[in-house]
Amino acid sequence: MNRIKELRSKKKISTQELANATGIARSTLGSYETRGINPNAEKAQILADYFNVSVGYLLGNTDMPKDIIENYNYKQEINSFIKDLDESNYKNWDLIEKSIYLQCIQAISLLSVEERKFINEYLWALLEKRSSESN
């Protein structure tokens, strides 16, 4: 299902109601929903603002809506991850590494410089700890 149609259906509004609310012609909205045509940058932003999601989410480039991204507490998640690693004593490192690798790659582009620095410091500390435990 097309993301625009999906968002409209969740809001339980018709194409005409969306057209009235956004100023985008009903026929244009219909072409986005049925023919898979992507809106131009201006219309994509209007629709993203209306649905309160990112343009990337609206266009299907990410599965993380804007509100999840803005409210996600990376530092808390990282601390929880580190605690889990400490408790596991790295016995299952290969499984942990594989399971989080893709999540890290996806999330890294959303991080601020401060958050990237925080992650970098933790990872180096983990590597040093792991190295010292294996010696």
Side-chain angles (χ1 to χ4, degrees), residues 26 94 107 115:
R26 185 176 62 80
D94 290 336
E115 290 167 326

Side-chain angles (χ1 to χ4, degrees), residues 5-41:
K5 185 175 183 178
E6 177 184 315
L7 290 165
R8 184 179 59 75
S9 295
K10 282 182 183 176
K11 260 190 168 314
K12 297 180 181 170
I13 60 170
S14 68
T15 308
Q16 185 60 55
E17 289 170 313
L18 181 58
N20 293 342
T22 62
I24 300 171
R26 185 176 62 80
S27 59
T28 302
L29 292 169
S31 68
Y32 299 156
E33 291 186 9
T34 60
R35 296 190 351 212
I37 296 171
N38 281 332
N40 65 28

Side-chain angles (χ1 to χ4, degrees), residues 29-103:
L29 292 169
S31 68
Y32 299 156
E33 291 186 9
T34 60
R35 296 190 351 212
I37 296 171
N38 281 332
N40 65 28
E42 178 186 357
K43 288 185 172 76
Q45 189 62 60
I46 290 168
L47 290 166
D49 290 344
Y50 177 79
F51 289 116
N52 195 29
V53 297
S54 68
V55 171
Y57 182 80
L58 180 84
L59 298 177
N61 297 330
T62 180
D63 290 329
M64 296 179 70
K66 181 179 175 181
D67 59 345
I68 292 173
I69 293 169
E70 290 175 351
N71 296 322
Y72 190 75
N73 187 336
Y74 291 101
K75 290 182 181 180
Q76 180 180 342
E77 189 69 25
I78 292 165
N79 282 325
S80 174
F81 169 69
I82 300 303
K83 182 178 181 233
D84 290 346
L85 285 179
D86 285 342
E87 291 172 358
S88 73
N89 294 319
Y90 308 101
K91 290 176 187 169
N92 299 316
W93 177 254
D94 290 336
L95 292 175
I96 293 168
E97 184 178 288
K98 289 174 186 174
S99 68
I100 65 161
Y101 180 75
L102 292 176
Q103 293 173 6

